[in-house]
Amino acid sequence: MSNHSRTQSLVFGIPWPELNDGLFYSDVVPHSDSELTLIDFYSRKYKNSAPLQGWLQRIQNGQISVDGRVIKDPNTILSGDSVLVYHRLPWKEPDVPHLLEVLYEDDDMVALNKPSGLQVLPGGLFQQRTVLTQLCWSVKKQNSTLNSQETHPVPVHRLGRGTSGILLCAKTKVAKTRLAAYFADGTSLVGATSNRKAERSGTRKISKIYRALVTGILVDDKVIIDQPIGIVRYPGVAKGLYVASPSGKPALSKVEVLERDEKQNCTLVQVEIESGRPHQIRIHLSFIGHPLLGDPLYIAGGQPRCFDPELVDESFAQDGGYQRPMNPVPGDCGYYLHAHRLVLSHPTTNEMIYITAPLSTILQTSDEANGSPGSLSINSGN
């Protein structure tokens, strides 16, 4: 990536190593936890990471140090202000793409075309194989001989692991602050009073247009969905799962039908979101009875396919942590959703910037496919 305005295609990325670097987690024992045993400290504070037997295994493996010394006795009594370090051993992360296409770039920001399957930020199984890592590696590679302290671009909004398309990243602190505010302002307007909406009308700084392929045939050409989105407990998702919920936060999606395929019982739609709730499009379209084609998680009603909030799998993996959940989780792929167009006011010049991410064949209309058969093939993905 460069510091000059770029609209021509540029692809970058470094192949992933076989194993990641592992992780180190540090804690300082508060005085309120002094006199706790080592196993009590970890099994209580980090019960979402591993069950009791898993933490015992980690301690006995020598993966935890206290004030710089490896401790293998789980019944060691802790003292206030002691420094604990847990070493999560290196592991092979699931196979994911590593190449990223630059759609637009200038001194303040860069827009990437994220492939489906690649996670944006570290989390869960993916601590190294992320967009953020490739951005960091790219800057290090460019500046390896320049002794530069330049920081790498950082994403300023969410894009699900299975979602492809435009991901906007800031290259400066000013751009990061302003771009993040654009997204936050759009979300805050949804559910606002009519007077506040009127005051802020015409001030929206960013517009996001998605393409999606949904199951079933939408009858109406245009649909507005304003179902709130909230969080429920869900096995394998420590912070909870986002679902359609009357008590959730306001969310607004505008859906427009582009093409119907009666033969294959699916509909190609365009979706503009005016808020940015996690998994909003997947939840909203499933809420109205038209889940994204291939979505392993959300079903009609905006709820998960398998739902038992009391079910917890106590089995643990080789490293002591929980096994991968048997039920579908938000990061599972298989659906067809693409961030297709982005229009925004430039964070420093206020110039209107128009960015488009190319569509895969399955998300094109018959006309866009340049004479390809009118029906949509559902045998390929983006």
Side-chain angles (χ1 to χ4, degrees):
M1 293 180 294
S2 72
N3 288 328
H4 305 290
S5 177
R6 181 190 300 276
T7 55
Q8 69 267 33
S9 176
L10 169 69
V11 176
F12 71 96
I14 297 173
W16 306 114
E18 184 71 13
L19 299 177
N20 62 24
D21 298 327
L23 291 170
F24 291 88
Y25 299 89
S26 298
D27 283 282
V28 176
V29 179
H31 286 276
S32 59
D33 286 341
S34 62
E35 304 304 317
L36 278 182
T37 64
L38 185 61
I39 184 61
D40 283 344
F41 179 88
Y42 277 102
S43 63
R44 291 180 187 181
K45 185 171 183 180
Y46 296 110
K47 60 184 178 181
N48 287 326
S49 171
L52 175 64
Q53 290 299 317
W55 279 115
L56 282 171
Q57 176 179 308
R58 290 170 173 179
I59 293 170
Q60 292 163 355
N61 282 348
Q63 293 175 242
I64 295 176
S65 65
V66 179
D67 294 328
R69 292 192 308 116
V70 173
I71 301 296
K72 294 187 177 183
D73 179 2
N75 295 313
T76 299
I77 302 297
L78 300 178
S79 302
D81 295 328
S82 286
V83 177
L84 309 182
V85 178
Y86 157 56
H87 179 204
R88 184 177 178 183
L89 300 176
W91 70 95
K92 185 182 187 306
E93 300 181 15
D95 292 334
V96 297
H98 70 275
L99 294 176
L100 291 160
E101 179 187 8
V102 176
L103 299 170
Y104 173 88
E105 184 177 13
D106 60 28
D107 290 346
D108 299 290
M109 62 184 185
V110 56
L112 305 175
N113 187 9
K114 185 190 84 69
S116 174
L118 182 59
Q119 191 158 296
V120 175
L121 300 175
L125 290 174
F126 298 96
Q127 295 296 327
Q128 182 181 70
R129 299 186 177 190
T130 67
V131 172
L132 188 64
T133 298
Q134 288 293 349
L135 289 170
C136 181
W137 286 353
S138 176
V139 170
K140 285 183 178 179
K141 182 178 179 181
Q142 290 181 38
N143 299 323
S144 59
T145 59
L146 301 179
N147 194 29
S148 171
Q149 298 299 312
E150 182 181 354
T151 58
H152 59 77
V154 292
V156 294
H157 64 106
R158 305 180 185 97
L159 210 58
R161 187 169 84 87
T163 304
S164 59
I166 302 169
L167 178 68
L168 195 60
C169 305
K171 297 173 68 176
T172 67
K173 290 183 179 180
V174 171
K176 179 182 177 182
T177 299
R178 292 180 181 173
L179 291 172
Y182 289 178
F183 286 97
D185 287 347
T187 298
S188 67
L189 281 176
V190 176
T193 63
S194 57
N195 287 340
R196 182 164 174 249
K197 284 181 180 178
E199 290 172 4
R200 299 286 297 277
S201 63
T203 64
R204 189 178 297 278
K205 296 284 190 176
I206 196 162
S207 175
K208 299 166 286 182
I209 306 293
Y210 290 74
R211 283 285 180 96
L213 189 60
V214 303
T215 58
I217 304 300
L218 269 74
V219 176
D220 297 327
D221 291 339
K222 294 185 178 181
V223 181
I224 294 179
I225 309 169
D226 59 1
Q227 170 64 33
I229 293 174
I231 301 178
V232 296
R233 288 185 60 197
Y234 186 80
V237 184
K239 296 182 179 179
L241 179 70
Y242 288 90
V243 298
S245 170
S247 60
K249 295 182 178 180
L252 182 66
S253 301
K254 297 179 178 179
V255 182
E256 181 178 348
V257 171
L258 299 178
E259 199 162 81
R260 298 177 176 90
D261 187 337
E262 301 277 354
K263 183 177 179 181
Q264 304 219 42
N265 192 36
C266 57
T267 305
L268 182 64
V269 298
Q270 172 178 289
V271 186
E272 180 179 4
I273 58 173
E274 296 198 359
S275 53
R277 306 298 176 198
H279 316 301
Q280 176 175 320
I281 294 176
R282 298 169 67 187
I283 294 169
H284 270 179
L285 286 166
S286 64
F287 175 75
I288 64 170
H290 296 279
L292 269 62
L293 187 68
D295 193 329
L297 177 60
Y298 292 105
I299 59 173
Q303 301 299 314
R305 187 176 304 276
C306 305
F307 184 45
D308 182 354
E310 302 304 322
L311 178 64
V312 177
D313 184 2
E314 289 289 338
S315 63
F316 53 96
Q318 186 175 357
D319 73 339
Y322 287 110
Q323 295 278 13
R324 189 195 183 287
M326 297 297 293
N327 290 337
V329 293
D332 291 345
C333 304
Y335 55 88
Y336 299 93
L337 179 61
H338 182 71
H340 179 39
R341 297 205 309 270
L342 188 70
V343 180
L344 74 152
S345 174
H346 193 279
T348 59
T349 68
N350 291 322
E351 175 189 1
M352 293 307 296
I353 304 295
Y354 300 82
I355 303 170
T356 301
L359 295 163
S360 60
T361 303
I362 195 171
L363 292 175
Q364 294 177 351
T365 64
S366 298
D367 288 343
E368 288 168 337
N370 295 321
S372 64
S375 63
L376 296 169
S377 170
I378 59 173
N379 295 319
S380 61
N382 57 312

